[in-house]
Amino acid sequence: MTDWFRENARDLPWRDPGCSPWGILVSEVMLQQTPVVRVLPVWREWLERWPTPAHLAAEPSGAAVRHWGRLGYPRRALRLHAAATAIVAGHAGEVPATYDELLSLPGVGTYTAAAVAAFAFGRRETVVDTNIRRVHARLVGGTALPAPALTAAETRRAVALLPDDEALSVQWNAAVMELGAVVCTARAPLCDACPVIDACAWIAAGRPAPEYVPKGQSWAGTDRQVRGAIVAVLRHADSPVARPILLWAPVDLGIGVPVDVPHLAGHAGPLAALHGLQAPTEQLERALAGLLADGLAEETEAGLRLPG
DNA sequence: AATCCGTGGGA
DNA sequence: TTCCCAAGGAT
């Protein structure tokens, strides 16, 4: 497995030996639920703009949201900014090296804490992400997919499989994750290219179908869609946007919002760009209230804007 | 424990 | 076209 990784690992900038722990932390948060190819350009811009936690912490959180671009789940940008602030305040500006310290940072959960401890500091940690879960489920468990949610049994299995040697454990975590990302994929696994196909319990069992159907997340007409549209406007606006304009006005009336915002182009305001809303006014107000409560937007006398 | 939280590329 | 889902976290 680790031999295969040495030969086939993708050349990703956060895997460069010279990459700082901060660079690795930023990459791990950006990669939460977002594909590598979309993270790459934003990660480069972030590290150039904010090479250390102190650089980011010195700016208002809205700058983090603005430069998050369209990676999705912009609250991650907010939490990364909060993590940078905590690192400056509580760790002398240096990303902490232990799992427990990392876990205490905003936006850092069990996966990210283990990943940063392992990949940035060479620690022996049990890293469990969606790729590793799927590889274990197939290779060892013989099922097409892991359980819908992480189980204690899965964690125990991952702990048992982790090599004792510290340096080897780091390579193991990276290798299993990479195998899941590029070979043992969710939909159409490339079993012909798999280095451990002869040991795969799922292959041995005849590649049985999944035992359940993953339930997809609804999207059209949800608050998430509305929130996304509102934040897209605020991200592109160069000055505060008055509430009624934000919610209702055409986007090309000189409020600083470019008309080339992809899903807003040619439409009249964020609401009109959305279809199938049950109660548009209520939903817009509710979505905006949610953004304000989450700190993704703030309201001034001049109007609404990203925090800062 | 179940739900919410964005986005866009590929099957 | 629609659907799936990608290095999760917080509540």
Side-chain angles (χ1 to χ4, degrees), chain A residues 17-289:
Chain A
C19 184
S20 67
W22 169 241
I24 291 174
L25 173 60
V26 171
S27 80
E28 291 298 345
V29 174
M30 287 184 171
L31 287 163
Q32 293 167 4
Q33 302 287 283
T34 303
V36 167
V37 290
R38 286 172 46 209
V39 165
L40 280 169
V42 182
W43 182 87
R44 291 196 183 95
E45 187 199 334
W46 267 56
L47 267 292
E48 183 174 348
R49 183 182 298 272
W50 300 308
T52 70
H55 285 90
L56 178 58
E59 298 222 28
S61 60
V65 176
R66 189 178 303 279
H67 292 283
W68 194 250
R70 302 183 67 80
L71 287 184
Y73 293 149
R75 55 172 54 175
R76 290 181 293 164
L78 221 47
R79 295 195 172 124
L80 212 31
H81 179 271
T85 301
I87 289 168
V88 169
H91 301 278
E94 301 292 333
V95 175
T98 69
Y99 175 87
D100 287 338
E101 290 172 308
L102 288 161
L103 189 60
S104 73
L105 297 174
V108 176
T110 55
Y111 161 74
T112 303
V116 173
F119 302 139
F121 297 104
R123 306 285 179 123
R124 182 179 180 277
E125 302 286 349
T126 304
V127 178
V128 181
D129 79 321
T130 188
N131 291 309
I132 290 176
R133 291 185 61 211
R134 187 173 54 251
V135 171
H136 288 174
R138 289 177 182 159
L139 196 63
V140 183
T143 60
L145 297 173
L150 180 64
T151 65
E154 272 184 279
T155 300
R156 285 194 298 272
R157 182 166 64 191
V159 169
L161 289 169
L162 190 70
D164 290 329
D165 179 76
E166 187 174 58
L168 186 56
S169 74
V170 174
Q171 293 308 304
W172 171 262
N173 282 321
V176 177
M177 196 179 312
E178 185 78 349
L179 186 71
V182 303
V183 174
C184 196
T185 55
R187 267 185 282 186
L190 308 175
C191 296
D192 290 342
C194 182
V196 289
I197 187 172
D198 292 339
C200 182
W202 185 52
I203 291 291
R207 294 178 59 153
E211 298 166 358
Y212 65 96
V213 182
K215 53 179 178 182
Q217 300 175 328
S218 59
W219 170 249
T222 63
D223 277 10
R224 277 201 291 177
Q225 185 188 27
V226 178
R227 288 169 58 113
I230 292 173
V231 172
V233 171
L234 297 182
R235 196 168 53 231
H236 287 271
D238 52 20
S239 59
V241 183
R243 180 181 284 252
I245 292 177
L246 173 67
L247 300 185
W248 299 107
V251 298
D252 56 353
L253 287 188
I255 59 173
V257 181
V259 294
D260 62 350
V261 177
H263 60 287
L264 300 183
H267 295 282
L271 174 62
L274 308 173
H275 303 286
L277 302 188
Q278 295 297 323
T281 303
E282 289 74 9
Q283 184 164 12
L284 264 178
E285 295 292 351
R286 183 173 66 245
L288 181 55

